[in-house]
């Protein structure tokens, strides 16, 4: 049985009694609520200011709406734009059946705002397991600092700034898996691990990394050899080779089954996200190349240099403390999956939602690393003094707060996020021209405002036969390369018989009397 990690000098010891425990619970509840409020408010303000996009918010909105009507998660916007067809299920893109849990929320409120609020709550729910794990090692004060550092971390902010994704489930589940196993609750940890496998087809890599971490834990014999070091005893619980091997095997098997079998079963392309051409045309060739040419692996990790910057930005705000903990192995496979890629450049950017997949685990690793370093320093011969247990995590919190203005939260200082400007009013007026229930090809930034009452396609460089089109000709919109290209597209639509019925602030509404193709 895995032992719960003991804290020899927890902040607020037994003298605090039940009153102290109640105060800690109240403070933790307040931190979770405040974080969820921050996340939800920021996300809803972006929605109101037309700063969200069809890719990916409308994709998930259409999919969850389909779930709520007891169907497969069909997203017409994804299927049509990517040439999979209008009946394409997003399970053929990413295997994320856990999203079905959000369907009942659409019976209460049908629209993308529901997803943004749900995401806010889910991300905030990672705070309690982070607090518990850190409190066992470093005390309550350090635990509040660790929880606050996660709550304000830039990976979470960047995930919020990229609308909604299945990543919302990963921080709470990954933190729960690690914390419950650390507390000796193996069945609860396994349940969280199983739930992770339902989040995305590559979450098995996270389980495999956790298994590698478990394999590094000392055996009972190794632990007995350290029994004299009282300060390290709690940090070195007995190893569990079988559990580690089980997590590695289950994680790798699930990744293969989900990405090679389940995705294809729902109409996806198994090779759609193959991004490792620098190492080989497929997984077997890439694996052999990596083993026989390890220097090529190192080269790919630093090409382009943006990958190194992102990895530095992940670790430096945590004061490099995760490097002192083997728990960091949990995040390594997922990080390597992105950094070894040679296409899909958004995978290795500090923006978007990808770094939120590993941030909770790395905060836990930072706490574990700080505890390990503190334990060693306490018993090192001639070591001067003793660093307060909360100091490392307080430092992480301070750096996290200092970094906040340089990432997505900087937009909170933009007045246009707080009150509608002329561009937002023009966007609202353009959207109002679309009848309820209509099929509309909408510029990426307008889809979320229409998806609750219309069938939304992405306005791109291909005509899809929709009676209505809303274009933007002054500001760059995905997937176009320039506003000039967008203007040419509008002229092409007019040549096809569309007539302009609205123009303001670069928004152009076009209409053509054609039968609905779907």
């Amino acid at each position: 049985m895995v032992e719960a990690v003991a804290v020899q000098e927890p902040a607020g010891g037994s003298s605090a009694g039940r009153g102290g425990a109640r105060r800690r619970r109240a403070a933790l509840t307040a931190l979770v609520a405040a974080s969820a409020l921050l996340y939800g408010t920021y996300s809803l303000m972006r929605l109101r200011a037309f700063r969200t996009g069809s890719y990916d918010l409308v994709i998930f909105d259409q999919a969850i709406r389909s779930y709520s009507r007891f169907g497969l998660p069909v997203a017409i916007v994804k299927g049509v734009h990517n040439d999979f067809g209008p009946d394409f299920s997003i399970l053929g893109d990413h295997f994320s059946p856990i999203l079905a849990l959000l369907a009942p929320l659409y019976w209460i409120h049908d629209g993308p705002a529901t997803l943004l609020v749900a995401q806010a709550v889910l991300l905030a729910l990672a705070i309690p397991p982070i607090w518990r794990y850190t409190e066992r090692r470093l005390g309550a004060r350090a635990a509040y600092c660790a929880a606050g550092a996660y709550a304000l971390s830039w990976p979470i902010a960047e995930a919020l700034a990229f609308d909604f994704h299945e990543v919302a489930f990963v921080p709470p589940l990954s933190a729960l898996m690690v914390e419950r196993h650390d507390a000796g609750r193996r069945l609860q940890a396994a349940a969280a691990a199983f739930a992770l496998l339902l989040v995305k087809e590559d979450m098995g890599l996270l389980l495999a990394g956790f298994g590698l971490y478990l394999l590094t834990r000392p055996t009972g014999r190794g632990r007995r050899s350290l029994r004299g070091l009282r300060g390290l005893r709690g940090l070195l619980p007995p190893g569990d080779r079988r559990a580690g091997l089980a997590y590695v095997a289950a994680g790798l098997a699930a990744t293969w089954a989900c990405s090679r079998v389940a995705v294809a079963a729902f109409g996806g392309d198994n090779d759609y996200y193959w991004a490792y051409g620098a190492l080989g045309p497929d997984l077997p060739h890439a694996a052999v190349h990596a083993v026989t040419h390890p220097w090529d692996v190192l080269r790919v990790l630093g090409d382009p240099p943006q990958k190194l910057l992102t990895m530095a930005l992940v670790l430096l705000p945590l004061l490099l403390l995760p490097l002192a903990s083997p728990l960091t192995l949990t995040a390594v496979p997922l990080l390597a999956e992105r950094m070894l890629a040679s296409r899909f450049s958004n995978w290795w950017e500090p923006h978007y939602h990808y770094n939120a997949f590993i941030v909770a685990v790395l905060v836990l690793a930072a706490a574990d690393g700080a505890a390990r370093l503190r334990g060693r320093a306490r018993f090192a011969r001639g070591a001067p003094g003793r660093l307060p247990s909360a100091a490392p995590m307080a430092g992480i919190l301070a750096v996290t707060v200092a970094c906040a203005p340089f990432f997505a939260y900087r937009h909170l200082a933009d007045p246009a996020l707080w009150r509608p400007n002329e561009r937002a009013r023009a966007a609202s007026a353009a959207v109002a021209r679309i009848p309820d229930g209509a099929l509309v090809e909408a510029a990426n930034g307008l889809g979320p405002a229409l998806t609750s009452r219309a069938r939304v396609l992405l306005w791109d460089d291909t005509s899809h036969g929709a009676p209505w089109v809303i274009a933007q000709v002054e500001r760059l919109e995905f997937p176009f390369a320039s506003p000039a290209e967008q203007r040419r597209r509008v002229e092409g639509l007019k040549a096809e018989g569309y007539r302009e019925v609205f123009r303001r602030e670069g928004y152009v509404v076009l209409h053509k009397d054609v039968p609905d193709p779907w």
Side-chain angles (χ1 to χ4, degrees):
M1 188 72 171
V2 175
E3 295 178 352
V5 174
V7 177
Q8 294 210 344
E9 297 172 289
S14 58
S15 60
R18 295 180 180 178
R22 284 195 296 269
R23 287 193 295 271
R24 287 194 292 272
R25 284 195 295 270
L28 188 58
T29 301
L31 181 56
V32 172
S35 299
L37 181 62
L38 170 64
Y39 302 159
T41 301
Y42 176 58
S43 299
L44 293 175
M45 289 169 65
R46 294 185 70 257
L47 178 65
R48 187 189 66 167
F50 293 90
R51 296 191 180 187
T52 56
S54 295
Y55 266 57
D56 292 325
L57 184 54
V58 172
I59 293 175
F60 288 105
D61 172 76
Q62 292 177 344
I64 304 303
R65 182 173 296 109
S66 295
Y67 271 135
S68 72
R69 296 170 181 173
F70 303 100
L72 288 174
V74 172
I76 188 175
V77 64
K78 174 73 177 179
V80 171
H81 174 66
N82 292 111
D83 298 322
F84 288 111
D87 297 322
F88 180 68
S89 164
I90 65 168
L91 292 173
D93 183 42
H94 292 302
F95 187 69
S96 305
I98 199 170
L99 292 172
L101 294 178
L102 302 179
L105 299 179
Y106 267 52
W107 304 338
I108 301 171
H109 181 271
D110 185 331
T114 298
L115 295 184
L116 298 178
V117 172
Q119 177 172 254
V121 174
L122 284 168
L123 291 175
L125 287 178
I127 290 174
I130 289 174
W131 190 94
R132 289 194 298 265
Y133 182 93
T134 306
E135 194 271 343
R136 284 199 293 268
R137 280 161 168 72
L138 297 169
R141 293 178 182 176
Y144 289 121
C145 292
Y150 161 81
L152 298 175
S153 64
W154 68 262
I156 296 299
E158 292 298 325
L160 295 169
F162 196 34
D163 305 341
F164 173 89
H165 290 86
E166 66 282 316
V167 70
F169 288 91
V170 177
L173 288 175
S174 60
L176 191 63
M177 176 183 69
V178 174
E179 189 276 328
R180 290 290 80 193
H181 198 284
D182 181 71
R185 306 291 186 175
R186 292 188 178 183
L187 288 179
Q188 294 176 6
F194 176 77
L196 277 170
L197 296 178
L198 305 179
V199 175
K200 196 165 174 276
E201 67 277 2
D202 59 353
M203 285 299 99
L205 297 178
L206 191 66
L207 268 64
F210 185 59
L212 292 176
Y213 156 66
L214 294 179
L215 290 174
T216 69
R217 298 169 73 149
T219 63
R221 180 178 180 182
R223 182 177 179 270
R224 283 192 297 271
S225 68
L226 294 172
R227 194 173 296 274
L229 299 180
R230 294 185 299 115
L232 292 179
R233 188 184 305 170
L235 302 180
L236 298 173
D240 190 337
R241 307 300 189 204
R242 286 177 297 178
L245 290 173
Y247 272 98
V248 171
L252 294 179
T255 299
W256 179 87
C258 292
S259 60
R260 306 302 298 179
V261 179
V263 167
F266 287 99
D269 180 355
N270 285 343
D271 297 321
Y272 190 80
Y273 288 107
W274 179 255
Y276 310 96
L279 297 176
D282 52 36
L283 181 58
H285 287 88
V288 171
H289 187 95
V291 172
T292 57
H293 299 80
W295 290 111
D296 285 353
V297 175
L298 295 178
R299 176 183 57 79
V300 172
L301 285 174
D303 183 22
Q306 179 67 53
K307 294 178 180 179
L308 299 177
L309 175 61
T310 297
M311 287 188 281
L313 288 173
V314 167
L315 289 173
L316 287 175
L318 298 174
L319 304 182
L320 301 180
L321 287 171
L323 299 181
S325 170
L327 181 58
T328 301
L329 289 171
T330 305
V332 168
L334 273 184
L335 191 61
E337 178 191 29
R338 294 163 47 211
M339 299 304 160
L340 290 175
S342 52
R343 52 190 290 252
F344 300 122
S345 60
N346 50 316
W347 286 7
W348 57 74
E349 293 282 340
H351 308 297
Y352 309 108
H353 59 291
Y354 300 104
N355 295 291
F357 282 100
I358 58 175
V359 64
V361 166
L362 290 178
V363 171
L364 296 177
D368 185 53
R372 289 171 180 270
L373 293 175
R374 178 171 179 260
R376 292 168 187 166
R378 285 182 61 182
F379 292 95
R381 290 185 178 180
R386 191 168 69 195
L387 192 67
S389 62
M393 306 316 293
I396 288 175
L397 177 59
V399 174
T400 299
V401 172
C403 289
F406 298 96
F407 291 94
Y409 287 144
R410 70 182 185 277
H411 299 303
L412 289 170
D414 184 354
L417 192 65
W418 295 84
R419 57 179 180 272
N421 57 11
E422 185 57 33
R423 183 188 70 83
R425 286 190 285 269
S428 181
V431 165
R433 299 299 297 267
I434 306 301
D436 290 350
L439 182 68
V440 54
E441 298 174 38
N444 186 54
L446 296 181
L450 284 161
T451 184
S452 295
R453 63 180 185 85
R455 290 175 296 149
V456 175
L457 302 176
L458 182 67
W459 176 56
D460 54 25
D461 59 0
T462 302
S463 292
H464 302 295
W468 293 90
V469 176
I470 306 185
Q472 166 58 252
V473 296
E474 294 181 2
R475 298 166 58 92
L476 180 64
E477 290 279 340
F478 173 82
F480 294 94
S482 68
E485 184 180 331
Q486 294 162 211
R487 288 190 287 270
R488 288 193 294 270
R489 180 71 191 120
V490 168
E491 294 306 314
L493 288 168
K494 290 180 178 180
E496 294 174 17
Y498 283 85
R499 59 186 179 86
E500 182 179 313
V501 298
F502 177 91
R503 180 183 287 263
R504 182 174 160 192
E505 291 290 321
Y507 293 106
V508 181
V509 179
L510 303 167
H511 177 61
K512 183 180 180 181
D513 291 321
V514 293
D516 190 325
W518 298 302

